[in-house]
Amino acid sequence: MRILLFALTETYETLVPALEEKGHTVKLINQHSGSGVNLYYGGPKAIARAEELIREFKPDIVVSNMAGLVLPPSDDYTYFGNTLESSRLELYKWETRQKAWEYGFELAEVVLECNHHEMQKFPYTTYLKSKYHDTWCQAWKVLPDADLETQNKIFEAEGSFPAFVEKEIDFEVEGYCQYRIC
């Protein structure tokens, strides 16, 4: 079987030898393998580059673990990856938070709405999250009274993004969820 993996660096590297040992032909493409296009963020150029790589490799299975890279369905291969809807759950954190609230989930307290580079210090641990899909596509854990000067300079260089800051919550039980596709 021919398997094409689109994955963040250091995500599926150990999977490739295991699949090859089982007799599969595997090609791993990371976010920087797009010939000048960062595949992670998706968009028309990333999709076009991914489709070009798919045509060249002719896989039976395509797997994408990059939230922004949502590929269209195809009769030529089986696709395991995000849909536009599931991609938005990860990339549009404010929208996802609002939807979770509508469904009755208890949420962390929002202590500030701001732009990334305008975050202030707090005497407790917080999480800085982008409201929408942006260059960063992540959340940052910020320790109490952290020195944000360097971090804010980085954000200013990359541009200003609408963000929100959540107060860390104490939890009684911590759980890790995993799933396996067989």
mmCIF file of all heavy atoms in Angstrom, residues 109-140:
data_model
loop_
_atom_site.group_PDB
_atom_site.id
_atom_site.type_symbol
_atom_site.label_atom_id
_atom_site.label_comp_id
_atom_site.label_asym_id
_atom_site.label_seq_id
_atom_site.Cartn_x
_atom_site.Cartn_y
_atom_site.Cartn_z
ATOM 1 N N GLU A 109 -12.148 31.071 33.032
ATOM 2 C CA GLU A 109 -12.499 32.498 33.040
ATOM 3 C C GLU A 109 -11.619 33.270 32.056
ATOM 4 O O GLU A 109 -10.400 33.119 32.037
ATOM 5 C CB GLU A 109 -12.286 33.052 34.448
ATOM 6 C CG GLU A 109 -12.542 34.522 34.580
ATOM 7 C CD GLU A 109 -12.172 35.065 35.964
ATOM 8 O OE1 GLU A 109 -11.827 34.277 36.866
ATOM 9 O OE2 GLU A 109 -12.232 36.301 36.118
ATOM 10 N N VAL A 110 -12.249 34.097 31.241
ATOM 11 C CA VAL A 110 -11.508 34.996 30.358
ATOM 12 C C VAL A 110 -11.190 36.241 31.177
ATOM 13 O O VAL A 110 -12.092 36.944 31.628
ATOM 14 C CB VAL A 110 -12.313 35.363 29.097
ATOM 15 C CG1 VAL A 110 -11.581 36.433 28.288
ATOM 16 C CG2 VAL A 110 -12.550 34.132 28.247
ATOM 17 N N VAL A 111 -9.889 36.509 31.372
ATOM 18 C CA VAL A 111 -9.484 37.649 32.191
ATOM 19 C C VAL A 111 -9.098 38.860 31.350
ATOM 20 O O VAL A 111 -8.938 39.968 31.883
ATOM 21 C CB VAL A 111 -8.331 37.275 33.157
ATOM 22 C CG1 VAL A 111 -8.825 36.278 34.192
ATOM 23 C CG2 VAL A 111 -7.124 36.742 32.404
ATOM 24 N N LEU A 112 -8.946 38.670 30.031
ATOM 25 C CA LEU A 112 -8.575 39.785 29.172
ATOM 26 C C LEU A 112 -8.838 39.440 27.718
ATOM 27 O O LEU A 112 -8.576 38.307 27.291
ATOM 28 C CB LEU A 112 -7.071 40.102 29.356
ATOM 29 C CG LEU A 112 -6.480 41.248 28.544
ATOM 30 C CD1 LEU A 112 -7.070 42.595 28.977
ATOM 31 C CD2 LEU A 112 -4.961 41.270 28.692
ATOM 32 N N GLU A 113 -9.396 40.395 26.983
ATOM 33 C CA GLU A 113 -9.441 40.326 25.523
ATOM 34 C C GLU A 113 -8.528 41.429 25.033
ATOM 35 O O GLU A 113 -8.627 42.569 25.502
ATOM 36 C CB GLU A 113 -10.866 40.525 25.002
ATOM 37 C CG GLU A 113 -11.793 39.369 25.297
ATOM 38 C CD GLU A 113 -13.166 39.558 24.686
ATOM 39 O OE1 GLU A 113 -13.246 39.768 23.456
ATOM 40 O OE2 GLU A 113 -14.145 39.509 25.446
ATOM 41 N N CYS A 114 -7.625 41.093 24.127
ATOM 42 C CA CYS A 114 -6.610 42.055 23.694
ATOM 43 C C CYS A 114 -6.034 41.606 22.355
ATOM 44 O O CYS A 114 -6.534 40.657 21.746
ATOM 45 C CB CYS A 114 -5.486 42.124 24.733
ATOM 46 S SG CYS A 114 -4.657 40.530 25.024
ATOM 47 N N ASN A 115 -4.991 42.271 21.917
ATOM 48 C CA ASN A 115 -4.188 41.765 20.817
ATOM 49 C C ASN A 115 -3.011 41.012 21.425
ATOM 50 O O ASN A 115 -2.614 41.305 22.570
ATOM 51 C CB ASN A 115 -3.710 42.904 19.915
ATOM 52 C CG ASN A 115 -4.851 43.450 19.079
ATOM 53 O OD1 ASN A 115 -5.662 42.690 18.555
ATOM 54 N ND2 ASN A 115 -4.943 44.762 18.979
ATOM 55 N N HIS A 116 -2.448 40.064 20.678
ATOM 56 C CA HIS A 116 -1.358 39.246 21.207
ATOM 57 C C HIS A 116 -0.306 40.076 21.941
ATOM 58 O O HIS A 116 0.056 39.765 23.066
ATOM 59 C CB HIS A 116 -0.645 38.488 20.070
ATOM 60 C CG HIS A 116 -1.274 37.198 19.724
ATOM 61 N ND1 HIS A 116 -2.128 37.074 18.650
ATOM 62 C CD2 HIS A 116 -1.180 35.969 20.270
ATOM 63 C CE1 HIS A 116 -2.527 35.824 18.563
ATOM 64 N NE2 HIS A 116 -1.966 35.134 19.531
ATOM 65 N N HIS A 117 0.197 41.099 21.281
ATOM 66 C CA HIS A 117 1.324 41.855 21.826
ATOM 67 C C HIS A 117 0.932 42.782 22.972
ATOM 68 O O HIS A 117 1.789 43.419 23.568
ATOM 69 C CB HIS A 117 2.022 42.634 20.702
ATOM 70 C CG HIS A 117 1.208 43.754 20.150
ATOM 71 N ND1 HIS A 117 0.205 43.559 19.231
ATOM 72 C CD2 HIS A 117 1.243 45.080 20.409
ATOM 73 C CE1 HIS A 117 -0.336 44.718 18.931
ATOM 74 N NE2 HIS A 117 0.271 45.655 19.623
ATOM 75 N N GLU A 118 -0.350 42.859 23.304
ATOM 76 C CA GLU A 118 -0.805 43.737 24.386
ATOM 77 C C GLU A 118 -1.052 42.994 25.694
ATOM 78 O O GLU A 118 -1.507 43.586 26.661
ATOM 79 C CB GLU A 118 -2.100 44.440 23.973
ATOM 80 C CG GLU A 118 -1.941 45.351 22.781
ATOM 81 C CD GLU A 118 -3.262 45.840 22.227
ATOM 82 O OE1 GLU A 118 -4.319 45.221 22.510
ATOM 83 O OE2 GLU A 118 -3.242 46.844 21.504
ATOM 84 N N MET A 119 -0.748 41.715 25.735
ATOM 85 C CA MET A 119 -1.002 40.959 26.958
ATOM 86 C C MET A 119 -0.212 41.541 28.123
ATOM 87 O O MET A 119 0.933 41.909 27.983
ATOM 88 C CB MET A 119 -0.633 39.493 26.784
ATOM 89 C CG MET A 119 -0.976 38.681 28.004
ATOM 90 S SD MET A 119 -0.514 36.977 27.848
ATOM 91 C CE MET A 119 -0.837 36.424 29.510
ATOM 92 N N GLN A 120 -0.859 41.598 29.263
ATOM 93 C CA GLN A 120 -0.211 42.109 30.468
ATOM 94 C C GLN A 120 0.158 40.951 31.385
ATOM 95 O O GLN A 120 -0.235 39.815 31.152
ATOM 96 C CB GLN A 120 -1.146 43.083 31.180
ATOM 97 C CG GLN A 120 -2.453 42.425 31.617
ATOM 98 C CD GLN A 120 -3.520 43.442 31.967
ATOM 99 O OE1 GLN A 120 -3.761 44.381 31.235
ATOM 100 N NE2 GLN A 120 -4.167 43.243 33.092
ATOM 101 N N LYS A 121 0.894 41.257 32.447
ATOM 102 C CA LYS A 121 1.285 40.259 33.438
ATOM 103 C C LYS A 121 0.114 39.980 34.379
ATOM 104 O O LYS A 121 -0.681 40.873 34.686
ATOM 105 C CB LYS A 121 2.468 40.747 34.269
ATOM 106 C CG LYS A 121 3.753 40.861 33.502
ATOM 107 C CD LYS A 121 4.858 41.331 34.427
ATOM 108 C CE LYS A 121 6.143 41.537 33.658
ATOM 109 N NZ LYS A 121 7.244 41.937 34.546
ATOM 110 N N PHE A 122 0.053 38.740 34.848
ATOM 111 C CA PHE A 122 -0.942 38.350 35.844
ATOM 112 C C PHE A 122 -0.230 37.630 36.979
ATOM 113 O O PHE A 122 0.790 36.962 36.742
ATOM 114 C CB PHE A 122 -2.002 37.431 35.225
ATOM 115 C CG PHE A 122 -2.915 38.142 34.267
ATOM 116 C CD1 PHE A 122 -2.626 38.181 32.907
ATOM 117 C CD2 PHE A 122 -4.047 38.794 34.725
ATOM 118 C CE1 PHE A 122 -3.457 38.841 32.024
ATOM 119 C CE2 PHE A 122 -4.884 39.466 33.840
ATOM 120 C CZ PHE A 122 -4.589 39.494 32.490
ATOM 121 N N PRO A 123 -0.754 37.686 38.188
ATOM 122 C CA PRO A 123 -0.100 37.027 39.325
ATOM 123 C C PRO A 123 -0.415 35.524 39.399
ATOM 124 O O PRO A 123 -0.129 34.880 40.402
ATOM 125 C CB PRO A 123 -0.672 37.774 40.538
ATOM 126 C CG PRO A 123 -2.016 38.240 40.084
ATOM 127 C CD PRO A 123 -1.870 38.529 38.618
ATOM 128 N N TYR A 124 -0.999 34.991 38.357
ATOM 129 C CA TYR A 124 -1.347 33.573 38.294
ATOM 130 C C TYR A 124 -1.107 33.083 36.867
ATOM 131 O O TYR A 124 -0.938 33.873 35.945
ATOM 132 C CB TYR A 124 -2.809 33.338 38.713
ATOM 133 C CG TYR A 124 -3.772 34.358 38.151
ATOM 134 C CD1 TYR A 124 -4.239 34.269 36.833
ATOM 135 C CD2 TYR A 124 -4.206 35.441 38.925
ATOM 136 C CE1 TYR A 124 -5.109 35.224 36.313
ATOM 137 C CE2 TYR A 124 -5.076 36.390 38.413
ATOM 138 C CZ TYR A 124 -5.522 36.272 37.103
ATOM 139 O OH TYR A 124 -6.370 37.209 36.588
ATOM 140 N N THR A 125 -1.091 31.786 36.684
ATOM 141 C CA THR A 125 -0.848 31.203 35.364
ATOM 142 C C THR A 125 -2.046 31.450 34.458
ATOM 143 O O THR A 125 -3.197 31.306 34.873
ATOM 144 C CB THR A 125 -0.594 29.690 35.475
ATOM 145 O OG1 THR A 125 0.563 29.496 36.286
ATOM 146 C CG2 THR A 125 -0.356 29.051 34.113
ATOM 147 N N THR A 126 -1.746 31.844 33.223
ATOM 148 C CA THR A 126 -2.786 32.105 32.233
ATOM 149 C C THR A 126 -2.427 31.413 30.918
ATOM 150 O O THR A 126 -1.313 30.914 30.744
ATOM 151 C CB THR A 126 -2.937 33.619 31.973
ATOM 152 O OG1 THR A 126 -1.681 34.138 31.538
ATOM 153 C CG2 THR A 126 -3.414 34.355 33.204
ATOM 154 N N TYR A 127 -3.384 31.435 30.017
ATOM 155 C CA TYR A 127 -3.176 30.911 28.665
ATOM 156 C C TYR A 127 -3.584 31.980 27.665
ATOM 157 O O TYR A 127 -4.713 32.468 27.698
ATOM 158 C CB TYR A 127 -3.997 29.633 28.439
ATOM 159 C CG TYR A 127 -3.463 28.485 29.254
ATOM 160 C CD1 TYR A 127 -3.892 28.281 30.561
ATOM 161 C CD2 TYR A 127 -2.512 27.626 28.729
ATOM 162 C CE1 TYR A 127 -3.383 27.248 31.327
ATOM 163 C CE2 TYR A 127 -1.999 26.594 29.492
ATOM 164 C CZ TYR A 127 -2.434 26.410 30.791
ATOM 165 O OH TYR A 127 -1.921 25.386 31.539
ATOM 166 N N LEU A 128 -2.655 32.350 26.810
ATOM 167 C CA LEU A 128 -2.899 33.326 25.763
ATOM 168 C C LEU A 128 -3.284 32.565 24.499
ATOM 169 O O LEU A 128 -2.548 31.688 24.046
ATOM 170 C CB LEU A 128 -1.636 34.163 25.510
ATOM 171 C CG LEU A 128 -1.670 35.129 24.332
ATOM 172 C CD1 LEU A 128 -2.732 36.210 24.549
ATOM 173 C CD2 LEU A 128 -0.301 35.754 24.111
ATOM 174 N N LYS A 129 -4.453 32.898 23.953
ATOM 175 C CA LYS A 129 -4.966 32.189 22.785
ATOM 176 C C LYS A 129 -5.421 33.170 21.719
ATOM 177 O O LYS A 129 -6.067 34.162 22.018
ATOM 178 C CB LYS A 129 -6.154 31.301 23.179
ATOM 179 C CG LYS A 129 -5.803 30.235 24.195
ATOM 180 C CD LYS A 129 -7.016 29.408 24.562
ATOM 181 C CE LYS A 129 -6.659 28.321 25.564
ATOM 182 N NZ LYS A 129 -7.836 27.506 25.888
ATOM 183 N N SER A 130 -5.102 32.846 20.503
ATOM 184 C CA SER A 130 -5.578 33.641 19.373
ATOM 185 C C SER A 130 -7.075 33.389 19.208
ATOM 186 O O SER A 130 -7.536 32.264 19.365
ATOM 187 C CB SER A 130 -4.837 33.207 18.114
ATOM 188 O OG SER A 130 -5.442 33.768 16.993
ATOM 189 N N LYS A 131 -7.808 34.413 18.870
ATOM 190 C CA LYS A 131 -9.241 34.227 18.644
ATOM 191 C C LYS A 131 -9.520 33.510 17.329
ATOM 192 O O LYS A 131 -10.458 32.738 17.223
ATOM 193 C CB LYS A 131 -9.964 35.574 18.643
ATOM 194 C CG LYS A 131 -10.185 36.158 20.009
ATOM 195 C CD LYS A 131 -11.101 37.372 19.925
ATOM 196 C CE LYS A 131 -11.507 37.818 21.305
ATOM 197 N NZ LYS A 131 -12.492 38.906 21.248
ATOM 198 N N TYR A 132 -8.708 33.800 16.320
ATOM 199 C CA TYR A 132 -8.986 33.310 14.972
ATOM 200 C C TYR A 132 -7.748 32.659 14.383
ATOM 201 O O TYR A 132 -6.669 32.713 14.955
ATOM 202 C CB TYR A 132 -9.450 34.473 14.085
ATOM 203 C CG TYR A 132 -10.476 35.349 14.756
ATOM 204 C CD1 TYR A 132 -10.152 36.619 15.213
ATOM 205 C CD2 TYR A 132 -11.770 34.884 14.973
ATOM 206 C CE1 TYR A 132 -11.088 37.410 15.857
ATOM 207 C CE2 TYR A 132 -12.712 35.667 15.610
ATOM 208 C CZ TYR A 132 -12.364 36.926 16.054
ATOM 209 O OH TYR A 132 -13.293 37.695 16.692
ATOM 210 N N HIS A 133 -7.906 32.090 13.212
ATOM 211 C CA HIS A 133 -6.800 31.473 12.485
ATOM 212 C C HIS A 133 -5.754 32.542 12.174
ATOM 213 O O HIS A 133 -6.065 33.549 11.565
ATOM 214 C CB HIS A 133 -7.328 30.863 11.201
ATOM 215 C CG HIS A 133 -6.324 30.052 10.453
ATOM 216 N ND1 HIS A 133 -6.602 29.485 9.256
ATOM 217 C CD2 HIS A 133 -5.055 29.691 10.710
ATOM 218 C CE1 HIS A 133 -5.562 28.820 8.808
ATOM 219 N NE2 HIS A 133 -4.600 28.942 9.688
ATOM 220 N N ASP A 134 -4.530 32.319 12.623
ATOM 221 C CA ASP A 134 -3.462 33.279 12.398
ATOM 222 C C ASP A 134 -2.144 32.544 12.189
ATOM 223 O O ASP A 134 -2.105 31.327 12.112
ATOM 224 C CB ASP A 134 -3.358 34.255 13.583
ATOM 225 C CG ASP A 134 -3.047 33.544 14.881
ATOM 226 O OD1 ASP A 134 -2.173 32.662 14.899
ATOM 227 O OD2 ASP A 134 -3.677 33.865 15.895
ATOM 228 N N THR A 135 -1.068 33.296 12.146
ATOM 229 C CA THR A 135 0.252 32.728 11.916
ATOM 230 C C THR A 135 0.641 31.719 12.991
ATOM 231 O O THR A 135 1.312 30.740 12.714
ATOM 232 C CB THR A 135 1.307 33.859 11.884
ATOM 233 O OG1 THR A 135 0.904 34.804 10.913
ATOM 234 C CG2 THR A 135 2.680 33.332 11.554
ATOM 235 N N TRP A 136 0.224 31.950 14.226
ATOM 236 C CA TRP A 136 0.702 31.131 15.342
ATOM 237 C C TRP A 136 -0.078 29.828 15.501
ATOM 238 O O TRP A 136 0.516 28.796 15.791
ATOM 239 C CB TRP A 136 0.639 31.945 16.630
ATOM 240 C CG TRP A 136 1.471 33.175 16.546
ATOM 241 C CD1 TRP A 136 1.048 34.437 16.273
ATOM 242 C CD2 TRP A 136 2.890 33.275 16.661
ATOM 243 N NE1 TRP A 136 2.098 35.305 16.237
ATOM 244 C CE2 TRP A 136 3.246 34.626 16.471
ATOM 245 C CE3 TRP A 136 3.893 32.347 16.915
ATOM 246 C CZ2 TRP A 136 4.550 35.066 16.533
ATOM 247 C CZ3 TRP A 136 5.198 32.798 16.978
ATOM 248 C CH2 TRP A 136 5.517 34.131 16.780
ATOM 249 N N CYS A 137 -1.392 29.872 15.406
ATOM 250 C CA CYS A 137 -2.229 28.668 15.523
ATOM 251 C C CYS A 137 -1.939 27.857 16.781
ATOM 252 O O CYS A 137 -1.843 26.627 16.730
ATOM 253 C CB CYS A 137 -2.076 27.774 14.296
ATOM 254 S SG CYS A 137 -2.589 28.537 12.776
ATOM 255 N N GLN A 138 -1.753 28.516 17.895
ATOM 256 C CA GLN A 138 -1.468 27.791 19.121
ATOM 257 C C GLN A 138 -1.902 28.606 20.320
ATOM 258 O O GLN A 138 -2.361 29.728 20.188
ATOM 259 C CB GLN A 138 0.014 27.447 19.225
ATOM 260 C CG GLN A 138 0.922 28.657 19.383
ATOM 261 C CD GLN A 138 2.385 28.268 19.411
ATOM 262 O OE1 GLN A 138 2.818 27.397 18.672
ATOM 263 N NE2 GLN A 138 3.144 28.900 20.260
ATOM 264 N N ALA A 139 -1.716 28.027 21.496
ATOM 265 C CA ALA A 139 -1.959 28.727 22.753
ATOM 266 C C ALA A 139 -0.652 28.716 23.540
ATOM 267 O O ALA A 139 0.142 27.793 23.409
ATOM 268 C CB ALA A 139 -3.063 28.029 23.540
ATOM 269 N N TRP A 140 -0.446 29.763 24.349
ATOM 270 C CA TRP A 140 0.776 29.850 25.141
ATOM 271 C C TRP A 140 0.421 29.822 26.616
ATOM 272 O O TRP A 140 -0.434 30.581 27.064
ATOM 273 C CB TRP A 140 1.531 31.150 24.862
ATOM 274 C CG TRP A 140 2.134 31.209 23.511
ATOM 275 C CD1 TRP A 140 3.386 30.813 23.155
ATOM 276 C CD2 TRP A 140 1.531 31.704 22.325
ATOM 277 N NE1 TRP A 140 3.582 31.016 21.819
ATOM 278 C CE2 TRP A 140 2.459 31.576 21.279
ATOM 279 C CE3 TRP A 140 0.277 32.251 22.030
ATOM 280 C CZ2 TRP A 140 2.195 31.961 19.982
ATOM 281 C CZ3 TRP A 140 0.005 32.638 20.732
ATOM 282 C CH2 TRP A 140 0.966 32.488 19.728
#
